[in-house]
Amino acid sequence: MNALQVSGVGFAYGARQALNDLAFELAPGRFGALLGPNGAGKSTLIALLTRLYDLQQGDIRIFGHSLRDEPRQALRQLGVVFQQSTLDLDLSVQQNLAYHAALHGMPRRQAQARIDEELLRQDLAERRHDKVRTLNGGHRRRVEIARALLHQPRLLLLDEASAGLDPASRLALGRHVRNLCREQGLCVLWTTHLLDEIESSDDLLILHRAERVAWGKASQFGDDLAISFARLTGDEALGRGHVREALRPRRDDDSDNTETASVRTAHPTQGVRP
């Protein structure tokens, strides 16, 4: 049984098509990367997966449960870490997690056992009584992952989870999540616009203008993922060979919320090998 199966999904905002006949699947224990430029349809897919939007066409199944026909059973299998943090900065790590467990209706004793387990897994046990405000960005993301895993979902959705993190924290977060896949059998869908967050062993889905333009192991895309991405999306600037400039690293004064028409990366080939 697939962890995630997307079949013939289409979605439109009036006359504008945001997703067109999208189909792909992820197996349990796999790390799937969703890559695409601004306007490709990534945000729409995330909204559909989390039921912020209702399906217009096609179906999404999470461990066999249809989001259309069995939404409660499907969403029970799903944990989510959104791009914008939703932690209460003035509560402690423990209090944030306890509040989330209560929202899920978990008995207090069971909730505390799960909190203890996840804090150990995320290497945060010694920070449980610290206010979230005192944590760095990488540790805050780990708290959010712990929170998302409290109800023991089997599919974890991370939407631009590395946004705002420094390069070392981004690298550590990626390694940590992949370890969860290997050691816990967790399936992960990781959305990004940064090529250096993709490793050769990942399943890679590339969206462009509402369409799936590629799907497969990242290692299948050749020596330079930036070049492959440019070819698949038809980016003229990249096609003329200006890969390094168009995909230049962000400076400190660049806006955190700005996406270019291409995909940004500090090292276009890092972690992607044939």
Side-chain angles (χ1 to χ4, degrees):
M1 179 186 299
N2 287 316
L4 175 64
Q5 183 170 349
V6 176
S7 306
V9 168
F11 192 90
Y13 301 96
R16 183 174 72 84
Q17 195 72 28
L19 288 173
N20 184 28
D21 197 26
L22 179 63
F24 71 97
E25 62 282 325
L26 280 174
R30 294 296 300 160
F31 183 100
L34 172 59
L35 176 67
N38 192 28
K42 302 192 305 296
S43 296
T44 299
L45 179 59
I46 298 304
L48 291 171
L49 286 167
T50 55
R51 292 264 303 174
L52 294 176
Y53 296 161
D54 289 330
L55 282 164
Q56 294 177 349
Q57 176 185 336
D59 195 20
I60 296 173
R61 291 182 174 269
I62 301 175
F63 282 94
H65 297 289
S66 168
L67 270 177
R68 184 188 296 279
D69 301 326
E70 305 172 283
R72 289 187 180 180
Q73 294 91 325
L75 292 175
R76 232 178 247 127
Q77 311 297 322
L78 182 66
V80 185
V81 177
F82 290 104
Q83 179 177 353
Q84 298 297 325
S85 177
T86 56
L87 296 171
D88 190 319
L89 300 181
D90 292 317
L91 294 181
S92 69
V93 171
Q94 167 75 30
Q95 289 169 328
N96 268 276
L97 298 184
Y99 179 71
H100 186 75
L103 291 178
H104 275 276
M106 298 173 64
R108 183 172 298 180
R109 182 174 296 179
Q110 178 190 0
Q112 190 57 56
R114 291 291 301 124
I115 290 170
D116 292 344
E117 182 179 346
E118 289 304 327
L119 287 179
L120 282 173
R121 181 188 293 180
Q122 308 300 331
D123 197 23
L124 287 170
E126 295 182 356
R127 307 299 300 270
R128 70 166 66 240
H129 298 302
D130 294 352
K131 287 188 176 182
V132 170
R133 187 179 300 280
T134 68
L135 304 181
N136 63 34
H139 283 156
R140 291 184 190 184
R141 282 302 190 197
R142 289 199 178 199
V143 174
E144 291 185 288
I145 292 172
R147 183 181 63 179
L149 295 176
L150 280 181
H151 63 290
Q152 297 181 299
R154 295 190 285 171
L155 172 63
L156 181 62
L157 175 62
L158 296 109
D159 184 20
E160 304 279 2
S162 65
L165 300 183
D166 60 77
S169 295
R170 288 199 297 113
L171 181 61
L173 181 62
R175 286 175 176 170
H176 179 68
V177 173
R178 287 179 177 86
N179 282 337
L180 292 179
C181 294
R182 288 189 291 266
E183 297 172 5
Q184 306 294 328
L186 188 69
C187 179
V188 167
L189 180 62
W190 173 288
T191 77
T192 185
H193 56 272
L194 297 170
L195 298 180
D196 65 338
E197 291 187 352
I198 298 170
E199 296 187 357
S200 59
S201 60
D202 297 342
D203 292 333
L204 177 59
L205 170 66
I206 299 179
L207 294 181
H208 182 55
R209 294 180 181 174
E211 303 275 354
R212 186 188 90 175
V213 295
W215 167 244
K217 288 285 184 63
S219 59
Q220 300 171 359
F221 292 86
D223 293 341
D224 195 324
L225 182 56
I227 299 273
S228 297
F229 180 85
R231 174 177 53 81
L232 290 164
T233 60
D235 190 308
E236 294 181 2
L238 297 181
R240 289 195 299 269
H242 304 307
V243 174
R244 303 291 174 180
E245 175 61 22
L247 300 183
R248 64 176 178 82
R250 282 187 297 173
R251 300 188 306 271
D252 290 339
D253 58 349
D254 285 342
S255 169
D256 286 340
N257 296 322
T258 300
E259 281 190 40
T260 62
S262 58
V263 173
R264 294 190 300 256
T265 178
H267 306 285
T269 59
Q270 181 178 339
V272 181
R273 298 181 173 85

